[in-house]
């Protein structure tokens, strides 16, 4: 019996809730304002207390899952996400029935039932505690206040994330405290020294989603589940990527990539909050999940592989799945937050928990950096993370892991001056920029897999 295993450094869920960086920025309340029934792009006449629903990320506490049970476990985890989203939606809509205590009590009951089912499916070695009550109970986090007079949404003094963007100069923007003028941020990027010979790059030119391949699925984390992401994804590469795309279907599909790379590359869409709505404003993944505004098509979407330190890399395995960032970093904390925000011309200054305000002629930049170490065997794992890892500053991988080419997705946008924007997210994650993330399913054929490694190792620029 094959078992998907996690590393021994797994985090305790309750500790995550207490110790994480809760980067509840001004932009976060674009969704959180719903607690007061507010429309997120408009100033309100009076201040109101806001909050979000915080639950333990059950997937983070899983140690292993039998391969035969993985689909059932993924469904159970998706059901838990639906329950949290539904509870948040109920609390967000005045007159929808039930006070906070009733809503949270009902949520705990539903989670208890699903957790028992999950524990049975995952088996005795799952790593779930015998007493599931600690995972079943959720809380309302009140880390925001609304300052309507300033047309701003500000984090409370208890929010522990102000130091994450050192050198920001507190650059308060007219768009709100969730935004910072990139010119007020001091350079903060330290690139690792390239001491090895692997200085090449491989680029897949896959367009910028001109065909508007969009859906709220996630074939890695929630396969077989419609709207498993609760937010809309942009896709480039493989033309059929959805929750229902098995490996064979991906392998038989066409691609937007000019070199025949059939891999699936995807990330949450960015929306312009200018008062206009996208066609999905009443649909799952869109307005039904508190994602409103017009979807911005990327101006560019760069797909590049390299070795950050020059360490020689080995070819990946076809159908290898890699995720970066954490869609639940608001409540989980920043341990897996590997996405950053900047502006063209200022990319030596990166932000994690704030959105950048770019000067005229400069584009908003999202950089999604993926793990560059792999266990050499598994194309996935129980928590969809532990089969990959990031190398250290010298390019070293964890024991029994091997170096692979590091994927970096660099996505840019033309954002009109003076207009707010926000990344799509799970409803209760409040559109916080720290929740940005990317996903990748490698569907390259063997020739391309070997070409990526050889181009990087031989110092060539390919693509």
């Amino acid at each position: 019996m094959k078992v998907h295993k996690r590393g021994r450094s797994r985090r305790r869920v309750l500790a995550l809730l207490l110790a994480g960086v809760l980067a509840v920025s001004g932009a976060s309340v674009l969704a959180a304002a719903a607690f007061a029934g507010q429309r997120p792009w408009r100033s309100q006449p009076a201040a109101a207390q806001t909050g979000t629903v915080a639950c333990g990320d059950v997937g983070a506490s899983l140690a292993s899952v039998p391969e035969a049970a993985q689909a059932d476990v993924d469904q159970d985890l998706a059901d838990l996400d639906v329950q949290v989203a539904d509870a948040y939606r109920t609390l967000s809509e005045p007159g929808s029935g039930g006070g906070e205590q009733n809503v949270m009590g009902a949520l705990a009951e539903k989670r208890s039932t699903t957790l028992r089912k999950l524990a049975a499916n995952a088996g005795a070695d799952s790593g779930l505690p015998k007493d599931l009550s600690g995972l079943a109970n959720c809380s309302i986090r009140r880390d925001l206040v609304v300052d309507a007079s300033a047309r701003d949404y500000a984090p409370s003094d208890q929010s522990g994330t102000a130091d994450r963007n050192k050198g920001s100069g507190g650059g308060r923007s007219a768009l709100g405290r969730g935004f910072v003028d990139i010119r007020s941020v001091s350079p903060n990027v330290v690139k690792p020294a390239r001491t090895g010979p692997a200085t090449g790059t491989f680029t897949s030119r896959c367009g910028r989603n001109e065909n508007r391949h969009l859906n709220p699925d996630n074939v890695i984390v929630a396969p077989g589940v419609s709207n498993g992401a609760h937010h809309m994804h942009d896709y480039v590469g493989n033309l059929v990527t959805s929750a229902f795309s098995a490996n064979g279907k991906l392998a038989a599909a066409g691609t937007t990539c000019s070199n025949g790379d059939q891999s699936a590359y995807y990330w949450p869409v960015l929306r312009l909050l200018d008062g206009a709505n996208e066609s999905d404003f009443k649909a799952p993944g869109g307005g039904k999940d508190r994602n409103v505004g017009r979807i911005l098509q990327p101006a560019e979407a760069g797909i590049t592989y390299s070795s950050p330190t020059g360490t020689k890399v080995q070819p990946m395995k076809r159908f290898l799945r890699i995720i970066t960032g954490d869609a639940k970093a608001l409540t989980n904390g920043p341990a897996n937050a590997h996405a950053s925000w900047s502006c063209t011309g200022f990319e030596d200054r990166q932000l994690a928990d704030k959105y950048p305000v770019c000067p005229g002629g400069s584009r908003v930049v999202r950089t999604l950096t993926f793990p560059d170490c792999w266990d050499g065997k598994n194309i996935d794992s129980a928590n969809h993370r532990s089969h990959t890892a990031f190398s250290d500053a010298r390019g070293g991988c964890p024991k029994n892991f091997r170096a692979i080419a590091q994927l970096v997705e660099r996505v840019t946008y033309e954002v009109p001056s003076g207009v707010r924007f926000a990344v799509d997210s799970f409803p209760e994650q409040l559109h916080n920029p720290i929740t940005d993330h990317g996903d990748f399913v490698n569907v390259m054929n063997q020739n391309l897999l070997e070409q990526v490694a050889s181009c990087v190792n031989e110092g060539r620029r390919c693509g």
Side-chain angles (χ1 to χ4, degrees):
M1 177 180 66
K2 292 184 179 180
V3 176
H4 288 305
K5 291 186 176 181
R6 295 191 58 205
R8 292 187 179 274
S9 61
R10 63 180 184 265
R11 302 161 293 171
R12 295 186 66 86
V13 172
L14 294 180
L16 280 174
L17 290 175
L18 293 173
V21 173
L22 292 177
V24 187
S25 71
S28 299
V29 85
L30 296 171
F35 260 62
Q38 300 169 6
R39 292 192 177 185
W41 58 82
R42 294 179 181 176
S43 175
Q44 298 301 311
Q49 187 70 25
T50 61
T52 191
V53 176
C55 302
D57 186 354
V58 178
S61 66
L62 285 173
S64 64
V65 175
E67 187 175 45
Q70 187 69 56
D72 290 332
V73 169
D74 286 336
Q75 179 64 62
D76 294 335
L77 292 171
D79 289 344
L80 291 170
D81 287 338
V82 170
Q83 291 161 11
V84 176
D86 286 346
Y88 177 77
R89 188 178 298 113
T90 299
L91 289 169
S92 301
E93 296 172 353
S96 58
E100 289 181 0
Q101 185 174 355
N102 290 338
V103 172
M104 299 304 286
L107 174 60
E109 289 182 10
K110 292 176 182 178
R111 283 175 64 84
S112 293
T113 299
T114 304
L115 283 166
R116 287 193 293 270
K117 182 180 174 184
L118 187 153
N121 286 329
D125 297 326
S126 68
L128 290 172
K130 292 182 179 179
D131 181 3
L132 297 173
S133 60
L135 294 175
N137 293 321
C138 302
S139 62
I140 293 177
R141 296 300 304 257
R142 299 196 183 281
D143 300 284
L144 294 174
V145 294
V146 177
D147 180 4
S149 62
R151 298 177 60 87
D152 189 21
Y153 300 98
S156 74
D157 291 338
Q158 274 106 22
S159 179
T161 56
D163 291 336
R164 184 155 174 80
N165 292 314
K166 290 288 187 182
S168 70
R172 185 181 175 101
S173 164
L175 297 182
R177 290 183 187 171
F179 293 80
V180 61
D181 188 329
I182 196 66
R183 292 169 295 188
S184 71
V185 179
S186 299
N188 57 11
V189 174
V190 179
K191 292 185 178 180
R194 276 194 170 181
T195 57
T199 59
T201 60
F202 180 93
T203 299
S204 279
R205 305 185 189 283
C206 303
R208 53 191 185 94
N209 198 11
E210 289 91 341
N211 58 336
R212 284 186 63 88
H213 182 177
L214 302 163
N215 64 51
D217 297 348
N218 192 327
V219 68
I220 297 178
V221 176
V225 180
S226 180
N227 192 34
H230 293 265
H231 51 263
M232 203 64 66
H233 280 132
D234 252 325
Y235 293 86
V236 298
N238 202 286
L239 289 172
V240 301
T241 313
S242 74
F244 309 97
S245 300
N247 289 344
K249 186 174 181 180
L250 292 170
T255 180
T256 67
C257 303
S258 60
N259 60 0
D261 179 4
Q262 297 168 277
S263 299
Y265 304 95
Y266 57 105
W267 49 82
V269 300
L270 201 68
R271 294 184 192 251
L272 199 64
L273 302 172
D274 60 357
N277 278 320
E278 192 60 70
S279 58
D280 66 350
F281 73 99
K282 292 185 178 179
K288 189 173 181 181
D289 286 308
R290 301 291 174 183
N291 295 303
V292 298
R294 291 191 290 124
I295 293 175
L296 281 170
Q297 183 182 6
E300 298 176 282
I303 306 293
T304 305
Y305 297 85
S306 65
S307 173
T309 59
T311 301
K312 284 202 168 185
V313 302
Q314 297 186 26
M316 299 181 194
K317 190 174 183 178
R318 199 179 199 199
F319 304 121
L320 174 64
R321 286 141 163 81
I322 310 180
I323 62 177
T324 192
D326 185 358
K328 300 177 182 177
L330 179 66
T331 51
N332 282 351
N336 290 311
H338 292 287
S340 60
W341 300 80
S342 189
C343 302
T344 56
F346 300 87
E347 289 176 71
D348 60 344
R349 313 166 194 204
Q350 296 288 325
L351 301 165
D353 63 352
K354 288 182 174 62
Y355 291 117
V357 177
C358 304
S362 176
R363 293 172 174 169
V364 171
V365 182
R366 296 164 71 183
T367 302
L368 304 166
T369 303
F370 285 71
D372 57 331
C373 298
W374 171 48
D375 68 9
K377 299 177 294 183
N378 299 296
I379 62 170
D380 203 356
S381 52
N383 67 343
H384 311 292
R385 289 188 188 277
S386 59
H387 63 301
T388 63
F390 283 89
S391 63
D392 60 27
R394 296 182 179 180
C397 289
K399 185 178 179 180
N400 298 325
F401 278 60
R402 61 184 66 178
I404 56 174
Q406 183 171 68
L407 167 64
V408 175
E409 296 172 346
R410 177 181 175 275
V411 189
T412 72
Y413 300 86
E414 297 278 4
V415 176
S417 177
V419 180
R420 295 189 187 203
F421 58 90
V423 68
D424 265 20
S425 71
F426 284 93
E428 72 283 356
Q429 297 299 313
L430 311 182
H431 301 274
N432 195 288
I434 204 171
T435 64
D436 199 12
H437 58 281
D439 298 76
F440 163 58
V441 181
N442 192 317
V443 197
M444 295 182 186
N445 60 39
Q446 192 60 38
N447 286 339
L448 269 180
L449 290 169
E450 293 176 1
Q451 186 181 354
V452 171
S454 64
C455 286
V456 172
N457 290 336
E458 296 169 11
R460 296 185 285 124
R461 294 183 180 274
C462 306

